[in-house]
Amino acid sequence: MSFGEKLTAIMQRPGEDLVAKDDVPWWLKYSGRGLGTVGGGIAIIMGLFNIITSIFNVSCILGSICLMLAGFTVVVVEAPCCCLFLDFVQNFSDIVEKRPYWNRAAFYCALGIVPLILCLGVSIFFGSGLIFATGLIYGMMAIGKKASFHEMRTSAASATASQASASTSTKSNLVQNAQPVSFTNPPDSIV
């Protein structure tokens, strides 16, 4: 058993199939999960720090509370083992796991933007940035794997051939009826 297989067995969620259902690289899956877990924890700490430092600014306090809730949500989804004391965490995490990657990407990006709208501070920017970066990683996972060189070359050749045949038929009709373009001076004014 290789190191990668051992790591996969350790990081596997309960009830998850051993066979991968999609063609997303393993390092991208674990980087999304790791950044979500660590970034969510840091977002909670940054929100708490911002509440303490901006005691008289109501919008910053609301932004900090939103950041802490966003961080907690990301931790609940990405690492339900961190919140075993709550009953609903595993069910919520399983529901989110069944959704496509683009749903999670859009959700995390929205969670990262909301606190920034309420208050723009360094700690909120850093915490929201980590959550937003997690959304970007899941967005890359949603886009999928890049095609091989041979597939891209074949697709480009067929697209160029179909475009060339379409443009020659259109161009031949237009060129036969074309008039030369010339610049004429404005008419002389009659005085």
Side-chain angles (χ1 to χ4, degrees), residues 46-97:
M46 289 291 135
L48 184 63
F49 175 74
N50 201 32
I51 285 177
I52 294 170
T53 57
S54 62
I55 194 77
F56 297 114
N57 193 347
V58 176
S59 65
C60 282
I61 290 175
L62 289 175
S64 300
I65 291 171
C66 286
L67 182 63
M68 291 172 63
L69 289 174
F72 179 73
T73 305
V74 172
V75 169
V76 162
V77 170
E78 296 300 327
C81 61
C82 295
C83 304
L84 289 176
F85 54 89
L86 298 173
D87 294 336
F88 68 91
V89 168
Q90 188 63 40
N91 293 334
F92 180 67
S93 179
D94 290 339
I95 290 170
V96 174
E97 272 306 307

Side-chain angles (χ1 to χ4, degrees), residues 83-161:
C83 304
L84 289 176
F85 54 89
L86 298 173
D87 294 336
F88 68 91
V89 168
Q90 188 63 40
N91 293 334
F92 180 67
S93 179
D94 290 339
I95 290 170
V96 174
E97 272 306 307
K98 294 176 185 174
R99 305 294 302 165
Y101 288 131
W102 70 267
N103 290 137
R104 202 180 311 184
F107 181 62
Y108 287 165
C109 288
L111 280 179
I113 290 174
V114 170
L116 285 175
I117 292 172
L118 295 172
C119 178
L120 186 61
V122 176
S123 59
I124 287 187
F125 183 75
F126 185 66
S128 293
L130 290 173
I131 294 172
F132 193 82
T134 305
L136 291 179
I137 288 176
Y138 277 105
M140 288 181 1
M141 290 167 62
I143 290 172
K145 197 173 179 180
K146 187 173 136 180
S148 69
F149 176 74
H150 180 67
E151 290 172 355
M152 290 192 311
R153 187 176 207 175
T154 308
S155 175
S158 65
T160 305

